[in-house]
Amino acid sequence: MVNVAILGFGTVGSGVAEVLTGHEDSISRKVDDFVRLKYILDVRDFPDSPYAGCFVKDFSVIESDPEVDVVVETIGGATVALDFTRRALKAGKSVVTSNKELVAEYGYELLMLAKEYNVNYLFEASVGGGIPIIHPLSQCLAANNILEIYGILNGTTNYILTRMIRAGLSFDTALKEAQERGYAERDPSADTEGHDACRKICILAAIAFGRHIYPRQVPTEGITRITLADVDYADAAGRKIKLLGRAIRQEDGRICAYVAPHLVNNENPLAGVEDVFNGITVRGDAIGDVMFYGRGAGKLPTASAVVADVIDAAKHIGSRKLMDWAPGGEDTTRSPDTLRSRWYVRASCTNDMMRAMLGDVLPLARRGAAENEAACITADEMTRTQLGIRLQNIPVLSVIRVLD
Amino acid sequence: MVNVAILGFGTVGSGVAEVLTGHEDSISRKVDDFVRLKYILDVRDFPDSPYAGCFVKDFSVIESDPEVDVVVETIGGATVALDFTRRALKAGKSVVTSNKELVAEYGYELLMLAKEYNVNYLFEASVGGGIPIIHPLSQCLAANNILEIYGILNGTTNYILTRMIRAGLSFDTALKEAQERGYAERDPSADTEGHDACRKICILAAIAFGRHIYPRQVPTEGITRITLADVDYADAAGRKIKLLGRAIRQEDGRICAYVAPHLVNNENPLAGVEDVFNGITVRGDAIGDVMFYGRGAGKLPTASAVVADVIDAAKHIGSRKLMDWAPGGEDTTRSPDTLRSRWYVRASCTNDMMRAMLGDVLPLARRGAAENEAACITADEMTRTQLGIRLQNIPVLSVIRVLD
């Protein structure tokens, strides 16, 4: 018998309980042992819940019960969740989580702790919701040197951008719609400012490149400054504006990691990733590009990823999955300002002025453009710093990196 | 030390040697042991190969060498490859393969043999080339009941269809181009008649639904009858013609598995899978739809998947990965003729005649249509049998299933 405790009975936690008990037979068959939900930790009371007999309010009940093999942490944040995760690992229990904040900030420490106590710390659900990405990246692509990983990592912002592109809504209106549909929080800044995507690219980069990358090392720009004018010009260029998290291995071994909007070519499969869906592309030296696509959030998709990890943990009790990375440091990353690319530029000037500053460009047009407005994509690749120098005498309205 | 033997030094076999030796350090770090290429079996001589010292011509050298832990079978076909695979497993060696024909026909038997001898039989590379799909399907989606799996499983036919759609080439011209580019064999029938896709959907269905499905149980139709007229009508309907392998679990537990061209809506991510790429969608009860996308063939992508399995086998020496399925039988499948859907129909008749036979339809138009030609998509869903009855008095030119 494998006993499971869930910490936190919110959306994900209740989804985990539902998937775990609803698929009891097939899960037990896969583990080759009976998997039982023994405890749910929550401060609230749920007298009418079908799991009413499982609830406890004191973590030490779980911590001190030697029968508990796997702890599922769906509390979120990096305070109580950190404390409970440390204590669970030290008590010899494997921990499974969907908590991206905790993994992005404390992943290295917690993986080392898991190693020390010969248990596993698994977090497939922390990136891409239900999409299998952590596991394929660490195992199925093990025969590759990963060159780059990038993707649409946040469903809320992708929904907003999709509505701007397809329905012509402004950012504010699209955000409001996303809030009404439950896709965005009342305070949407963690999504719209890119922080959620930032945590996820940190986790992906650590697995792909083998060193911890902290969110504070990853320059992060959200989508709040994207306008319908930009959306229209991108469309004229056969491209879509997408918020991407990106991590690229540089020749010196450092990682260039950042979050920013990009103009993505319509022929790139990521351009077709719409609404709340996520898409993540991995570029390996042997495999070329592979993309993983699916629902990046939601109760049951996320629970599905958590429970897959529970199954994995249950199959590996007393043995270790080889998943870890080296500690972080100030020498691991490199600023994206040094990364060359083409650029989309919109400014209050004429096409001639744009050309005078930027040299050869692809001029873009849109219906209803303001009189003194020009937009283009540069013909040459250059760094953000080089671009800034060329643009210093132009009243710039938007600058967005082009993904080629 | 983990010793590896490769059987067959063709495209995939030589790619495996290249990836295995080129990534020696990182592979050994992942396995936590040194992984060495010890033998390559081939009837030919390769005196100038960097692996010249590894070549043997007699399989019994490998079979009887107790140092060999993992055998990579890239011979193909189901004669010699079957014999060597059986003997390797019986000699206590794990076997890794890219051989879809062998897995589709003998997968159940070989998995049972692997179980009996406490070794592993792994075949990630048999479907989707380098795309991780077997592993995610059997492990990462373990918390789901799989409802359906379908996809573009053959790169050659997808290249031909892409060239017909994008460049307006006829089937014959596009096939010739694919042959010139090395994407199609001189005898292309295994690809164009759908047999390759058939083997792959058999393997996916067995993992997804837990019973062996034989290729002879899977009705298979290729793309040789697709015309440019059909491509144009599909375009007018906002759809693309794609050859799909599909397996759907029916309410009675039987599997409806088949290979046939479909009209795929442009909003479905599979519609954007072009050229030689593959895309596979899995529908689970918890996760919803997830798609896996990448190069479905090619030396290094396929080798990348083979070597990931070698790493997995090397990490599990003396222990078993839980991957198997139940035996097949005549009661496992159900004819796709009973599967309801909308249909695309092209016939030598008028739109009025079409409507008289099919009821409410979406009529389609194209430039350059023959005078007495009508095409439509039915408004109602019906089985192929029901459709056939309604069409019995019409000179039908094309019938293609619509994927909604």
Side-chain angles (χ1 to χ4, degrees):
Chain A
M1 173 115 81
V2 176
N3 286 287
V4 177
I6 298 172
L7 312 184
F9 197 62
T11 304
V12 177
S14 62
V16 171
E18 190 179 325
V19 172
L20 209 50
T21 52
H23 296 68
E24 205 170 64
D25 285 355
S26 66
I27 289 170
S28 296
R29 204 165 51 241
K30 276 160 188 157
V31 174
D32 212 7
D33 198 351
F34 184 67
V35 177
R36 180 175 65 143
L37 174 58
K38 186 164 184 183
Y39 297 114
I40 300 173
L41 179 80
D42 204 290
V43 291
R44 297 165 293 175
D45 290 307
F46 297 89
D48 301 328
S49 161
Y51 320 108
C54 295
F55 283 90
V56 293
K57 288 193 161 65
D58 178 1
F59 177 65
S60 63
V61 173
I62 295 166
E63 183 182 24
S64 62
D65 184 343
E67 281 190 355
V68 174
D69 307 289
V70 182
V71 170
V72 173
E73 183 270 299
T74 63
I75 298 171
T79 54
V80 179
L82 176 62
D83 178 40
F84 289 174
T85 300
R86 282 182 180 144
R87 285 165 62 186
L89 294 171
K90 286 181 181 172
K93 302 167 194 321
S94 286
V95 175
V96 170
T97 191
S98 59
N99 187 334
K100 48 203 167 271
E101 187 177 348
L102 198 58
V103 180
E105 290 289 354
Y106 298 95
Y108 173 71
E109 179 205 318
L110 295 170
L111 284 166
M112 288 302 102
L113 204 58
K115 194 173 188 175
E116 187 184 339
Y117 287 88
N118 198 37
V119 290
N120 289 294
Y121 182 53
L122 303 173
F123 40 84
E124 178 64 70
S126 66
V127 181
I131 308 169
I133 176 65
I134 304 282
H135 200 91
L137 186 60
S138 58
Q139 300 210 0
C140 309
L141 304 178
N144 285 261
N145 291 322
I146 306 296
L147 308 173
E148 177 173 350
I149 183 160
Y150 67 97
I152 296 167
L153 303 172
N154 178 271
T156 305
T157 45
N158 203 48
Y159 179 83
I160 292 170
L161 289 171
T162 301
R163 294 296 288 159
M164 291 175 73
I165 295 166
R166 290 176 76 106
L169 303 184
S170 69
F171 171 80
D172 289 331
T173 311
L175 168 60
K176 200 160 160 249
E177 188 183 277
Q179 286 170 320
E180 282 162 10
R181 291 185 162 223
Y183 295 155
E185 307 280 336
R186 198 176 298 180
D187 172 4
S189 57
D191 293 320
T192 56
E193 302 288 355
H195 303 307
D196 176 77
C198 171
R199 290 166 186 152
K200 291 169 178 168
I201 196 66
C202 287
I203 298 170
L204 293 174
I207 294 173
F209 304 118
R211 292 200 63 179
H212 196 98
I213 312 269
Y214 290 95
R216 62 179 157 73
Q217 296 178 295
V218 177
T220 295
E221 184 189 332
I223 62 164
T224 53
R225 283 186 290 183
I226 304 293
T227 66
L228 281 177
D230 299 320
V231 166
D232 287 349
Y233 282 123
D235 185 54
R239 291 166 185 272
K240 291 203 173 62
I241 299 178
K242 294 288 184 189
L243 182 67
L244 301 183
R246 267 182 106 182
I248 309 161
R249 192 173 56 186
Q250 304 292 296
E251 277 182 18
D252 63 359
R254 290 195 187 209
I255 308 308
C256 176
Y258 68 99
V259 175
H262 287 73
L263 261 64
V264 179
N265 199 304
N266 283 340
E267 296 197 355
N268 185 315
L270 284 185
V273 175
E274 304 209 316
D275 295 322
V276 294
F277 282 82
N278 284 194
I280 302 162
T281 298
V282 182
R283 182 168 295 159
D285 60 349
I287 202 178
D289 283 4
V290 282
M291 187 185 78
F292 303 81
Y293 166 93
R295 288 189 177 276
K299 177 177 175 170
L300 291 181
T302 308
S304 149
V306 169
V307 175
D309 273 352
V310 170
I311 292 171
D312 211 12
K315 282 161 74 172
H316 285 84
I317 285 170
S319 72
R320 290 257 313 140
K321 307 268 305 174
L322 267 182
M323 175 154 76
D324 53 22
W325 53 68
E330 294 316 312
D331 62 332
T332 51
T333 53
R334 176 175 286 285
S335 166
D337 287 351
T338 63
L339 186 70
R340 290 164 57 86
S341 71
R342 297 200 294 152
W343 296 89
Y344 159 84
V345 177
R346 181 167 64 94
S348 293
C349 68
T350 62
N351 276 326
D352 287 344
M353 276 176 66
M354 201 78 112
R355 233 184 230 108
M357 293 297 136
L358 293 172
D360 198 14
V361 299
L362 170 72
L364 301 174
R366 68 173 179 112
R367 267 188 288 187
E371 189 138 333
N372 192 31
E373 179 187 80
C376 70
I377 290 177
T378 64
D380 294 336
E381 295 195 338
M382 59 192 92
T383 66
R384 183 67 184 82
T385 312
Q386 289 166 337
L387 179 72
I389 293 166
R390 298 213 203 173
L391 290 177
Q392 56 190 344
N393 292 320
I394 287 185
V396 171
L397 298 168
S398 304
V399 169
I400 305 177
R401 196 185 281 273
V402 174
L403 183 81
D404 274 311
Chain B
M1 174 116 80
V2 176
N3 286 288
V4 177
I6 298 172
L7 312 184
F9 197 62
T11 304
V12 177
S14 62
V16 171
E18 191 179 324
V19 172
L20 209 50
T21 54
H23 297 67
E24 207 170 64
D25 284 355
S26 66
I27 290 171
S28 296
R29 203 165 52 242
K30 275 159 189 159
V31 175
D32 212 7
D33 198 350
F34 184 66
V35 177
R36 179 174 68 141
L37 174 58
K38 185 165 185 183
Y39 297 115
I40 300 173
L41 179 80
D42 204 290
V43 290
R44 297 164 294 175
D45 290 308
F46 297 90
D48 302 327
S49 161
Y51 320 108
C54 295
F55 283 90
V56 295
K57 288 193 161 66
D58 179 1
F59 177 67
S60 64
V61 173
I62 295 166
E63 183 183 24
S64 62
D65 184 341
E67 281 189 356
V68 174
D69 307 289
V70 182
V71 170
V72 174
E73 183 270 300
T74 63
I75 298 171
T79 55
V80 179
L82 176 61
D83 179 39
F84 289 174
T85 300
R86 282 181 179 145
R87 285 165 62 186
L89 294 171
K90 286 181 180 171
K93 303 167 193 322
S94 286
V95 175
V96 170
T97 191
S98 59
N99 187 333
K100 50 203 166 269
E101 187 177 349
L102 199 56
V103 180
E105 289 289 353
Y106 298 95
Y108 173 71
E109 180 204 317
L110 295 170
L111 283 167
M112 288 301 103
L113 204 58
K115 194 173 189 175
E116 187 183 341
Y117 288 87
N118 198 36
V119 291
N120 289 294
Y121 183 53
L122 303 174
F123 40 85
E124 178 64 70
S126 66
V127 180
I131 308 169
I133 177 65
I134 304 282
H135 200 91
L137 187 59
S138 59
Q139 299 210 2
C140 309
L141 304 178
N144 285 262
N145 290 322
I146 306 296
L147 308 173
E148 177 172 352
I149 183 162
Y150 67 96
I152 296 167
L153 303 173
N154 179 270
T156 307
T157 45
N158 202 48
Y159 179 83
I160 292 170
L161 289 171
T162 301
R163 293 297 288 158
M164 292 175 72
I165 295 166
R166 290 175 76 106
L169 304 182
S170 70
F171 172 82
D172 289 331
T173 311
L175 169 60
K176 200 160 162 249
E177 189 184 276
Q179 286 170 321
E180 282 162 9
R181 292 185 160 222
Y183 295 155
E185 307 281 336
R186 196 176 299 180
D187 173 3
S189 57
D191 292 319
T192 57
E193 302 288 356
H195 303 306
D196 176 77
C198 171
R199 290 167 185 150
K200 291 168 177 169
I201 196 66
C202 287
I203 298 170
L204 293 174
I207 294 173
F209 304 118
R211 293 201 62 179
H212 195 99
I213 311 269
Y214 290 95
R216 63 179 157 71
Q217 297 177 294
V218 177
T220 295
E221 184 189 332
I223 62 164
T224 52
R225 282 185 290 182
I226 303 292
T227 66
L228 282 177
D230 299 321
V231 166
D232 287 349
Y233 282 123
D235 186 52
R239 290 166 184 271
K240 292 203 173 63
I241 298 177
K242 294 288 183 188
L243 182 66
L244 301 183
R246 265 182 108 183
I248 308 160
R249 193 174 54 185
Q250 304 292 296
E251 277 182 18
D252 63 359
R254 291 195 186 209
I255 308 308
C256 176
Y258 68 99
V259 174
H262 287 72
L263 260 63
V264 178
N265 198 303
N266 283 340
E267 298 198 353
N268 186 315
L270 284 185
V273 175
E274 303 208 317
D275 295 322
V276 293
F277 282 81
N278 283 194
I280 302 163
T281 298
V282 182
R283 182 168 298 159
D285 61 348
I287 202 177
D289 282 6
V290 283
M291 187 184 78
F292 303 81
Y293 167 93
R295 287 189 178 276
K299 178 179 175 169
L300 291 182
T302 307
S304 149
V306 169
V307 175
D309 273 351
V310 170
I311 292 171
D312 211 13
K315 282 160 75 173
H316 284 85
I317 284 172
S319 73
R320 291 256 313 140
K321 307 266 305 172
L322 267 182
M323 176 154 74
D324 54 20
W325 53 68
E330 294 315 313
D331 62 332
T332 51
T333 54
R334 177 176 287 283
S335 166
D337 287 351
T338 62
L339 187 69
R340 290 164 57 87
S341 71
R342 298 200 293 153
W343 296 89
Y344 159 84
V345 177
R346 180 167 64 94
S348 293
C349 69
T350 62
N351 277 325
D352 287 345
M353 276 175 68
M354 202 76 112
R355 236 185 227 109
M357 292 297 135
L358 293 172
D360 197 14
V361 299
L362 171 73
L364 300 173
R366 68 174 180 110
R367 269 189 288 189
E371 187 137 337
N372 194 31
E373 179 186 81
C376 69
I377 290 177
T378 63
D380 294 335
E381 296 196 336
M382 59 192 93
T383 67
R384 182 67 183 82
T385 311
Q386 289 165 337
L387 179 73
I389 293 166
R390 298 212 202 174
L391 290 176
Q392 57 190 344
N393 292 319
I394 287 185
V396 170
L397 298 168
S398 304
V399 169
I400 304 176
R401 196 185 282 272
V402 174
L403 183 80
D404 274 311

